[in-house]
Amino acid sequence: MSTFLYRLGRFSYRRKWTVIIGWLLVLCALGAAAATLMKPFTSSTSIPGTEAQKASDVLDKEFPSGSDGISGQIVFRAPKGETVTAGPAAEAVRTATDRIARTPGVESVTAPSTAAGNVSRDGRTGIGRITFTAEQADKIGAASVETIEAAAGQARSAGLTVALGGQAFDPVPEAGGGAGEGVGVLITLIVLVVVFRSLRAAVVPLAMAVVGVAMGVLALLTLTSVVAMDSTALVLALMLGLAVGVDYALFIVSRHQTQVRDGMDPEESAGLAVGTAGSAVLFAGATVVIALAALTVVRIPFLAVMGLGAALTVVIAVVLALTLLPAVLGLLGPRIATSRVPALRRSARRSLDKQRSGAVSTGVRWARLMDRRRWAVLVLGVIGLGVLAVPAADLRLGLSLPSTNAEAVRAQKLTDDAFGAGYSGTLVVLVEGDRAEAAAQQIAGAAAELPDVASVAPARLSGSGNAAMVGVVPKSGPQSERTEQLLHDIRAARDGIEKTTDTDINVTGSTAVSIDVAAKLTAALPVYCLVVMGLAVLLLTLVFRSIAVPLKAALGFLLSLGGSLGVLVAVLQWGWLSSVLGTQGSPTIISFLPILLIGILFGLAMDYEVFLVSRMREEYARGKSPVAAMVDGFGHGSKVVTAAAVIMVSVFGSFVFSDMQITKGMGLALAVGVLLDAFVVRMCLVPAAMSVLQHVAWWLPRFLHRVLPHVDVEGEKLTRRQEPPAEAGRDDKDLLASRH
């Protein structure tokens, strides 16, 4: 593999304009395809096959609303001593709803009335439902919204408290970039300048990432013509593509720049950099792609689309790093090793002088410290990550997110105060069969006797007579554990009724859908972890020809995952640091966030493991002692891995300041996960563990030595072309095998 990549790198370097123009044509083609084929994003997070989703599909068929338009709510609250159904307050409500009904773009308005069940028991609060002709909030005309707000203002002038809420008036913010993402890019550029000590060299990885993200986003926009896609998939692809695009280019450019500064011919250096560091990039990218593509095994459509979309962006980043990057390096030629900025030029010269004088690097000093304090580092690291993981025991999943719209928050508070917290999370019991009405009356009676039930609506028969529905309003909110228990209690109470009436009874509604989605995702987590970690451990065994190293890598990932989940719960569920990060505490975390975190973080963790430990293996294979190999390998790889981790943390962390709560959660989870995995696990626990394991770290049964193919990830055969081997006449496989 390394030899093929070496030739590919040299070809791209020599035929730079051919490669650059070819990629430019691909970019233009993707842009044209996206402009002509893209369709609007969907917002569906349903999971086909769950009880709530199947019942919801039947409910739409048996009880059609007659409109596909988006809806909103206008909540009225009368002054003390008045009601929204009589007197001056009722007149103000009627005037407002009539004006709204005449508004262009409004299909219908359901005014508050006792018969409709949308007036509170004390009569002071009523809810009007506004249905629009548009199917999405951003399609509602500004003039229509202004007219509705004017009608609400007129009611306020009459002494009522009025608030607008619901999907139509509380839209999800756009997934576009913002100031936070700009800060992340700026930090990335600063880190690259510090690493390369050259502005032109620093711009190259950033440019590669921008091109890769542009191509990935355009490809996903094109795919919306054939695949239903949520806007979150685009955010994830943007976030991950930018981070890995910079990192993969960083590894190759760093190797190339060092070789050119040491006097190597730039064309030969480009080929060697792609053949060595590029091999590691290819394998590292493969681990990320495997982790993301494995999301398909959980059989959740929207999650599979998100994973495959992000995997596509990673594939593009890898291919660009192996082809377009050496072509761009061909444009720079020997200038990659120099800088026009005097301060950077002097800094690079001092660094080169230190290297040639044999000065001990910071990475080597750190590795030696980890060796001397290995047991203390292991104990403190494991205990520290364990403490961070404690809040993860309180992890609860759901689909609802706290609103950031002040007007919508007021509307929800008015509703909760007047109707109870469970009014917005009504459970809908659907009964199907010839005796649906009788069965519905029985299940309604059984539900009324259950704990935590605020009210039960009378059974309603469908037009066909083959189905009936019953609304059960919980006392607790939609995200409450008591509401979840109520759902289970209703489902447990239906068994006898189904048998005696020969009907089929299911529970649905937005709350039931959310609970079912969370339950299925929770059940899918163990399967997903086994698939991803199993494949990755097998690949690492193949690459490192070791049993202990892959197992150590997986255990380290579990530690960093536990810590990141603990931080996630503390910030997003418990509300810690909410004033600083702009987040809001919520009873649940968005259901698909943990499984996404597992997939992405595992792939990135294996990236760092490959880049860091592969050089240790190379030094060990050349005849060095286990500790010396660890120290020298860490000294070579730690600087670049540290820079790559800082870049990823800054990129992911910048998304915490997005307006989208989902994006905030993803950015926070990934930033904390990379921070813990790179700087605690890989920088501290890995060298300490390698120092403890010694030769055991590289042990592999003899039969596996014979069976497993030799994968040259670090391009050792290419490296031998530049320097003689430590023990002539013996390849790495024989040297390693002779020690066991």
Side-chain angles (χ1 to χ4, degrees):
M1 177 59 71
S2 59
T3 303
F4 168 76
L5 293 178
Y6 166 79
R7 293 171 179 169
L8 179 63
R10 293 199 63 170
F11 171 83
S12 299
Y13 188 97
R14 288 196 308 270
R15 303 294 180 86
K16 48 184 173 291
W17 287 114
T18 301
V19 174
I20 291 172
I21 292 173
W23 277 114
L24 182 61
L25 292 175
V26 173
L27 181 61
C28 292
L30 285 174
T36 55
L37 299 177
M38 66 175 290
K39 292 183 178 179
F41 290 108
T42 65
S43 57
S44 173
T45 51
S46 63
I47 300 181
T50 60
E51 175 183 325
Q53 187 59 48
K54 289 189 293 185
S56 180
D57 295 338
V58 175
L59 195 68
D60 291 338
K61 179 181 177 182
E62 293 289 344
F63 299 90
S65 63
S67 174
D68 294 326
I70 193 170
S71 64
Q73 296 175 341
I74 179 167
V75 184
F76 301 96
R77 183 162 180 80
K80 288 184 178 180
E82 298 186 38
T83 66
V84 294
T85 56
E91 183 62 30
V93 169
R94 187 162 46 251
T95 300
T97 53
D98 287 346
R99 183 175 179 182
I100 293 172
R102 295 193 301 268
T103 301
V106 173
E107 184 174 291
S108 64
V109 178
T110 303
S113 69
T114 305
N118 53 8
V119 175
S120 61
R121 290 182 179 179
D122 62 6
R124 288 185 59 196
T125 305
I127 300 175
R129 177 184 174 87
I130 306 171
T131 303
F132 294 86
T133 55
E135 296 183 6
Q136 295 180 340
D138 57 358
K139 302 299 182 183
I140 300 174
S144 299
V145 175
E146 290 176 2
T147 301
I148 295 171
E149 290 176 344
Q154 186 177 357
R156 292 189 187 101
S157 301
L160 277 71
T161 300
V162 185
L164 298 170
Q167 290 180 312
F169 303 109
D170 187 21
V172 176
E174 291 295 325
E181 289 87 328
V183 171
V185 172
L186 178 61
I187 294 174
T188 298
L189 181 59
I190 293 173
V191 172
L192 291 172
V193 169
V194 171
V195 171
F196 293 122
R197 295 177 170 86
S198 168
L199 186 58
R200 66 165 67 95
V203 171
V204 172
L206 199 56
M208 289 297 102
V210 170
V211 173
V213 166
M215 297 185 70
V217 168
L218 290 174
L220 291 181
L221 291 177
T222 303
L223 289 174
T224 56
S225 61
V226 293
V227 178
M229 192 178 301
D230 188 278
S231 61
T232 308
L234 196 66
V235 175
L236 181 61
L238 172 65
M239 192 185 301
L240 194 58
L242 186 60
V244 301
V246 172
D247 276 9
Y248 293 165
L250 166 65
F251 292 124
I252 295 176
V253 175
S254 176
R255 187 79 169 242
H256 174 63
Q257 186 191 55
T258 300
Q259 292 167 170
V260 174
R261 283 177 174 169
D262 287 341
M264 186 179 294
D265 174 69
E267 181 180 329
E268 175 67 16
S269 174
L272 189 61
V274 174
T276 53
S279 296
V281 165
L282 181 62
F283 178 82
T287 60
V288 179
V289 170
I290 287 173
L292 291 169
L295 288 170
T296 56
V297 304
V298 300
R299 297 182 180 180
I300 299 174
F302 75 89
L303 200 57
V305 170
M306 290 176 66
L308 292 175
L312 175 61
T313 307
V314 174
V315 169
I316 292 174
V318 171
V319 176
L320 287 176
L322 300 178
T323 55
L324 182 60
L325 177 57
V328 173
L329 295 178
L331 292 179
L332 294 177
R335 292 177 295 167
I336 191 69
T338 62
S339 175
R340 289 186 177 182
V341 181
L344 295 176
R345 187 165 57 247
R346 289 192 297 270
S347 177
R349 189 180 300 117
R350 287 195 299 269
S351 177
L352 189 60
D353 291 341
K354 287 182 180 179
Q355 180 182 347
R356 290 174 176 173
S357 66
V360 178
S361 67
T362 303
V364 169
R365 288 196 295 269
W366 180 262
R368 289 174 179 172
L369 176 63
M370 295 299 101
D371 173 49
R372 291 195 302 271
R373 302 285 185 266
R374 51 186 177 272
W375 285 112
V377 169
L378 287 174
V379 172
L380 290 176
V382 171
I383 291 176
L385 291 173
V387 170
L388 285 177
V390 169
D394 192 37
L395 175 66
R396 294 191 66 246
L397 304 181
L399 289 179
S400 301
L401 290 172
S403 175
T404 57
N405 184 294
E407 178 78 0
V409 171
R410 283 195 298 271
Q412 188 62 54
K413 188 176 186 307
L414 287 172
T415 302
D416 291 347
D417 291 344
F419 296 89
Y423 182 82
S424 301
T426 300
L427 299 173
V428 180
V429 183
L430 176 67
V431 184
E432 298 176 77
D434 294 336
R435 300 178 59 190
E437 188 172 14
Q441 291 173 352
Q442 292 183 43
I443 193 67
E449 297 176 0
L450 293 174
D452 204 51
V453 172
S455 64
V456 178
R460 177 184 166 193
L461 193 64
S462 68
S464 66
N466 296 323
M469 62 179 287
V470 176
V472 180
V473 179
K475 292 180 181 178
S476 306
Q479 298 173 326
S480 169
E481 292 185 50
R482 290 191 295 176
T483 300
E484 182 177 348
Q485 183 58 49
L486 175 60
L487 172 65
H488 297 320
D489 290 343
I490 294 174
R491 287 174 172 170
R494 68 188 172 186
D495 294 339
I497 299 174
E498 284 182 324
K499 291 179 180 178
T500 57
T501 59
D502 193 23
T503 55
D504 188 16
I505 303 175
N506 295 293
V507 187
T508 185
S510 59
T511 300
V513 169
S514 175
I515 293 172
D516 282 359
V517 167
K520 186 161 185 177
L521 282 168
T522 301
L525 278 175
V527 177
Y528 176 69
C529 287
L530 286 175
V531 171
V532 171
M533 295 182 69
L535 289 175
V537 167
L538 288 176
L539 285 174
L540 289 177
T541 302
L542 181 65
V543 170
F544 293 127
R545 307 185 69 76
S546 162
I547 298 296
V549 169
L551 293 178
K552 171 191 61 63
L555 291 175
F557 159 73
L558 291 177
L559 288 172
S560 58
L561 174 64
S564 58
L565 285 176
V567 173
L568 200 64
V569 170
V571 173
L572 297 186
Q573 272 188 227
W574 296 357
W576 290 9
L577 300 176
S578 57
S579 59
V580 177
L581 301 176
T583 56
Q584 295 183 21
S586 173
T588 60
I589 288 176
I590 194 71
S591 55
F592 55 81
L593 187 54
I595 199 168
L596 276 180
L597 174 63
I598 291 172
I600 298 172
L601 183 58
F602 187 79
L604 298 180
M606 296 307 103
D607 279 8
Y608 296 137
E609 185 77 11
V610 170
F611 287 121
L612 201 59
V613 180
S614 58
R615 191 60 182 257
M616 298 179 188
R617 179 193 175 278
E618 185 179 349
E619 298 297 331
Y620 182 74
R622 290 176 178 175
K624 293 183 179 180
S625 69
V627 173
M630 181 276 291
V631 171
D632 291 345
F634 189 91
H636 280 100
S638 59
K639 179 182 177 181
V640 178
V641 170
T642 300
V646 171
I647 288 170
M648 283 213 176
V649 171
S650 63
V651 171
F652 292 145
S654 67
F655 283 87
V656 174
F657 302 98
S658 167
D659 292 332
M660 296 180 65
Q661 291 297 309
I662 294 178
T663 305
K664 281 178 179 287
M666 287 197 301
L668 176 66
L670 292 174
V672 172
V674 171
L675 184 69
L676 294 177
D677 192 87
F679 293 104
V680 178
V681 175
R682 309 304 156 187
M683 292 290 111
C684 298
L685 299 185
V686 164
M690 297 296 287
S691 180
V692 169
L693 292 173
Q694 301 265 334
H695 289 289
V696 175
W698 306 111
W699 175 80
L700 187 71
R702 289 183 178 276
F703 78 93
L704 287 180
H705 267 295
R706 295 190 296 269
V707 174
L708 294 179
H710 189 68
V711 180
D712 187 12
V713 174
E714 273 295 331
E716 296 161 17
K717 294 180 180 178
L718 292 175
T719 305
R720 290 195 191 98
R721 298 174 54 171
Q722 305 298 322
E723 57 186 33
E727 297 186 35
R730 303 176 71 189
D731 65 14
D732 294 342
K733 183 191 297 185
D734 293 338
L735 182 59
L736 288 172
S738 67
R739 297 180 178 178
H740 306 303

